[in-house]
């Protein structure tokens, strides 16, 4: 995926555990793990803002673009694209 997630880098810099960060942001440790491991398909701006507030950083410190192959579209995305034009 072309979007790389660096939440773990900021957590290490702040010496913060997954459980502590999840608690302070207001999400479950499991959902934070999905985000930090790059498996999330989306992130709410409110969650991103909370992460930035707690970690005292900017969104660009947590997310970055890397060139690479785009993931294959799922059936829902393919159907929406087919009906858009």
């Amino acid at each position: 995926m072309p979007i790389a997630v660096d939440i773990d880098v900021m957590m290490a810099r702040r010496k913060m555990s997954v459980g502590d960060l999840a608690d302070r942001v207001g999400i479950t440790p499991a959902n934070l793990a999905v985000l930090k491991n790059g498996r999330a398909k989306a992130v709410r701006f409110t969650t991103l803002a909370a992460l930035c507030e707690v970690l005292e950083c900017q969104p660009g410190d947590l997310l970055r673009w890397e060139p690479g192959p785009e993931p294959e579209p799922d059936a829902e995305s393919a159907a929406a694209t087919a009906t858009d034009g």
Side-chain angles (χ1 to χ4, degrees):
M1 174 178 249
I3 300 297
V5 182
D6 291 328
I7 293 173
D8 53 345
V9 173
M10 292 306 296
M11 287 173 53
R13 288 182 182 168
R14 303 297 188 250
K15 296 177 174 49
M16 195 173 293
S17 69
V18 171
D20 187 35
L21 180 59
D23 187 50
R24 293 177 63 185
V25 169
I27 61 176
T28 66
N31 283 341
L32 179 57
V34 168
L35 282 172
K36 80 179 199 70
N37 293 326
R39 294 178 307 201
K41 292 186 181 225
V43 60
R44 292 178 188 266
F45 280 179
T46 54
T47 303
L48 183 58
L51 286 165
C52 290
E53 181 177 355
V54 171
L55 293 169
E56 298 177 352
C57 66
Q58 295 294 314
D61 296 325
L62 303 177
L63 303 172
R64 64 188 154 79
W65 179 80
E66 288 185 344
E70 288 290 326
E72 291 294 319
D74 58 15
E76 185 177 318
S77 297
T81 302
T83 59
D84 284 345

